[in-house]
Amino acid sequence: MNEHSNKWIGQRTIRPDGADKVTGRAAFGADTTMPGMIWGKVLRSPHAHARIRSIDTSKAESLPGVKAVVTARDIVNFTTDKPFILGIQDMRWMCRNVMAREKVLFHGHPVAAVAAATEEIAAEACKMISVEYEVLPWVIEIEDAIKPDAPILHEFNKLDGKPSNITGKLEHKLGDIAAGFAQAEVIVERSFKTRPVHQGYIEPHACLVSVASDDKTTIWSSSQGQFMVRAMTALLTGLTQSDIRAIPAEIGGGFGGKTIVYLEPLATMLSKKSGRPVKMVMSREEVMRASGPTSGSSSTVKIGATKDGRIVAAHGIYYLQAGALPGSPIRGAAGCSFAPYDIPNVLSQGFDVVSNRSKVVAYRAPGAPIGAYAVECVMDELAVALKMDPLELRLKNAAKQGTKAAHGPVYPRIGFVETLEAARAHPHYKAPLGKHHGRGVASGFWFNAGGESSAQVNITEDGNVVVMTGHPDIGGSRAAIANIAAELIGIDYKSVSVLIGDTATIGYSNMTGGSRVLFASAMVVTQSAEKVITILRARAAKIWNIDPDAVTWEDGAARPAGDNAGKFAPLTLAEIAAKATETGGPIGAGVQLNTTGAEGGFATHICDVEVDVDLGIVRVLRYTAFQDVGKAVHPSYVEGQMQGGVAQGIGWALNEEYIYNRNGQVDNAGFLDYRMPVCSDLPMLDAVMIEIPNPKHPQGVRGVGEVPLVPVMAAIANAIHDALGIRFYSLPMSPPKVLEALDLPRAAE
Amino acid sequence: MTDIRYLAPRTLDEAVGAFAAAAGAARILAGGTDLLVQMKAGTVSPGLIVDIKKIAEMTTIEETADGGFCIGAAVSGAVLGEHPRFGKVWPGVLEAVNLIGSTQVQGRATAGGNLCNGSPAGDSVPAMIAAGAIVTVQGPKGRRQMSVEAVPAGPGRTNFAPGEILVAFTLPPRPKGSGDAYLRMIPRTEMDIAVVGCGVSLTLEKGICTAARVALGAVAPTVLLVEAAAKALVGTKLDAADLDTAAAACSASCRPIDDKRGTIAYRTKVAGVLLKRTAAIAADRAGKV
């Protein structure tokens, strides 16, 4: 732990990218152009499920203005029998997601792409591509997809020897649940359903790709990882990584949805074939139809406790939609759902189910909100059955340092208990409620992550500092890194410039995701800064002609120490920088690491709702999120993450859902009818940061970005129950559903 | 790819001539907040666009000598909102017009376009029908007038004859003791489309409702004038039982569909709920006049 004075760490400094963003100078994915640039468009499947018999592109190719057409033939085929893993993705599925190969698997699945002089010509040419389809029966919902006679998406996928749409399984086990439930005096078991929801980033996917005749390729695009863009594009096009330079644009929201590529490989092949730079920008409708939402789910959770409120056994079964290709976040659902609790006997099972929907992609704590929704609603019912306060029940069973979690770890120092105690002591928990008002609580966990990061810290000739890292800044990481660099080097925050390198200018850095960026980049920046300070001390020692060990670095200046203390006037950073050439050359240092020690994040939320009982509308009146944030390096952006997660959860809980029509097509592919919350739907979301430093991190950082979404749906469902006495077991809790439930005759609970 | 011709005539005759000559291949551009979106989505591809915003009659608001209003079909919601008198006389109509889209959209969107778009969910339409507004249309055969409720023919369709253009709305003078209101049910709080909309205009004399008009949006293929609900209000003191009767009449008039925006059961029930809430606001305003 850094025990410095914290002059900058913890300060609400002005974000380095702020001025560009508020004045419109920031360049996002669609903002780059090149001389000679042409436009690419995607032809998408009109069917939910069909075999592609043939594709004839000849008419499109002969349309004046058309420069290139690509189909699956132009994309590298990763055969279905051999897994090829890249991060959490399998290239067998990636190659079939960017371009349909044997079959189209969902309405909107790409089947071809065209590059032409104008967008209009490209769109017209798409209409001239003739595709012969053999239309197949399709399946959308989990219950239908796991029926014995369901249409099978991938004949090669077998379960118990038979073709199946269940494409993956995962199990976490601790103790013996049969023995545990035998001890239980109160058992609550319930089943839940959630709908797929989209990440809802404002900026659609966009890229510009230029492939030169020697294959040297430049990609400008908005993503959560320029190195992911480089690697996936190389694999899907057959180019080598060293030929590709992927330049990260500013990103207009990702939330996990920009952790894979859609357009980049297509634009690369179109550019390679045409010899022209190719720009592609998705429409909102394309984003909604063909980029990943997170899974819909079908879960059953059973929890047993003794009469005094000690939980003795828990069983969770989570079926998650993967979309058209395998890979739903069952690890998040099964791994995180019971993680806040110290339970001796746990079985947590996840099942990955494919159906004819767009492939799911990560969304803020992937899978964890789905699991927590089920578990935290059952916890609420258990508290009622035990006549216990819901926070007391959680406190009684809360995981602590030394608790063994079913998903693997024995926890080090964690701050879950502190979130519960803070919630219980907060005025919100005791505030009076009005008519048709209700209050709910829920907790949540997210793993957080470390992984590969690189940093370079350079001292400019005039004695300022340039820090470069390799992660797109989605949540304010540049501001936090500037705080850390200023703190360590002992200079003014304004003397530090933080940049995000492209794949040619900084070492490999894993994606912005998993709540890992500040955890990991702070480590490599810290070590780089420490190396730079060592160099600065050595340069001062050389100037003074004393031993480097006899030089200390304090407040941005080298000072003689020990026997030499006071013998020389301190040398500032600027003074040493000015003499860099004669003392050994440019001053800078870089560090590349696979970081470890990211510890889990916990949160507890309190939510008040008001229900309009005649219209079935639920409004969130007050919301307070309590979270162990480790160390808030830049509190404004930690609070922003907490508020953002809650806002997304409110949408997921109350109105957001993909609605499919009878033809297997998304019927609400736009922001009018896919109802994300607007500002006026939300009260001020209060964020209470609790700082229990991560002992394995130099600044005590824990990931903060994802856990704020985890408890929200259950907190709202529990609040609605408190208001109405009605439990809802499916999301969204939209007005028609709430009003229908209110109109049903009810027995008193 | 087809070329699009764009015309911005200065006179109505010129506009009607060009519009009629294009025989269905033309679209009228007022604010464009529906048309441009539909063109971008590829659902319409007109050969000719006739922009009516340069025609003086279409862009003016006139308060007539008898206390009525004449509102050009191309007057934007923002301009109508800035009129010093209109919102005082017809607060319900104004709030309905001002619910269309966002602040930015309000700078362009018009009540005329909202009506001609033919959506059963258009916010201004139930309020205009409740207000008893009349529209003036001009076509190759000259001018005529029709009630607002006679305009919609079904989703996306109107009863205008080929070549006819909506020119203006005329709202009648207001008797003393009158008030109007519009409410819509949306799952969010703004930036949304009505799942049900309800417009009520009524007149009170000594606490008795002497005249009423009720209209419902998004519960049938067209916006409905619900005469049975109005009848249930007239002659009453608008007590709870009277409002219940009118609400039941509203629910009975609904012929909605199940769709992504709401269910049949939900819309049918909510129509009655909104009637009660809207009538209460209209009555409150009538009492204050």
Side-chain angles (χ1 to χ4, degrees), chain A residues 452-642:
Chain A
E452 307 92 327
S453 285
S454 302
Q456 175 72 32
V457 176
N458 288 334
I459 306 302
T460 60
E461 301 94 292
D462 62 358
N464 289 290
V465 178
V466 177
V467 180
M468 187 175 282
T469 65
H471 314 105
D473 174 1
I474 301 192
S477 56
R478 275 171 288 194
I481 289 167
N483 282 2
I484 290 170
E487 187 78 52
L488 294 175
I489 301 173
I491 51 173
D492 191 280
Y493 167 90
K494 291 193 192 109
S495 302
V496 182
S497 178
V498 183
L499 305 174
I500 298 155
D502 63 59
T503 57
T505 55
I506 188 73
Y508 178 80
S509 298
N510 208 325
M511 281 188 283
T512 298
S515 297
R516 63 174 295 273
V517 162
L518 191 63
F519 171 84
S521 57
M523 275 193 175
V524 287
V525 168
T526 298
Q527 294 189 18
S528 302
E530 285 166 351
K531 283 191 177 184
V532 164
I533 290 167
T534 302
I535 296 168
L536 291 166
R537 285 170 45 224
R539 300 298 174 89
K542 196 166 186 181
I543 292 165
W544 291 329
N545 200 21
I546 62 174
D547 192 280
D549 289 340
V551 179
T552 60
W553 186 264
E554 270 169 47
D555 290 337
R559 294 163 203 277
D563 294 347
N564 299 305
K567 283 195 188 160
F568 308 101
L571 279 168
T572 64
L573 181 62
E575 287 164 343
I576 298 171
K579 292 186 175 169
T581 302
E582 52 269 42
T583 57
I587 300 169
V591 167
Q592 297 177 282
L593 275 185
N594 181 25
T595 64
T596 58
E599 295 299 339
F602 293 85
T604 298
H605 291 183
I606 309 174
C607 170
D608 292 356
V609 299
E610 175 178 28
V611 184
D612 181 330
V613 295
D614 295 316
L615 296 178
I617 298 174
V618 177
R619 299 266 182 247
V620 176
L621 294 178
R622 184 173 181 184
Y623 205 105
T624 311
F626 304 84
Q627 187 175 325
D628 170 15
V629 301
K631 173 69 195 170
V633 174
H634 195 302
S636 297
Y637 303 126
V638 174
E639 289 164 349
Q641 289 292 326
M642 293 170 70

Side-chain angles (χ1 to χ4, degrees), chain A residues 120-121 124 612 614-617 619 655 659 667-668 671-678 680-681 735-736 739 743, chain B residues 1-2 41 184-195 259-263 265-266 269-270 273-274 277:
Chain A
E120 291 75 17
I121 296 172
E124 189 72 16
D612 181 330
D614 295 316
L615 296 178
I617 298 174
R619 299 266 182 247
N655 281 305
I659 300 167
D667 211 14
N668 58 335
F671 282 157
L672 179 59
D673 289 304
Y674 180 84
R675 291 184 155 112
M676 293 176 66
V678 296
S680 53
D681 292 343
L739 197 63
D743 285 346
Chain B
M1 281 152 291
T2 45
R184 63 175 182 177
M185 188 281 155
I186 53 173
R188 292 182 287 208
T189 44
E190 60 181 333
M191 298 299 293
D192 215 328
I193 188 161
V195 176
D259 72 0
K260 59 195 172 190
R261 292 174 185 155
T263 60
Y266 184 76
K269 176 158 189 208
V270 166
V273 174
L274 287 190
R277 294 185 183 183

Side-chain angles (χ1 to χ4, degrees), chain B residues 12-36:
Chain B
L12 197 47
D13 287 343
E14 210 184 324
V16 169
F19 187 57
R27 289 286 173 137
I28 298 295
L29 174 71
T33 58
D34 286 311
L35 178 64
L36 298 187

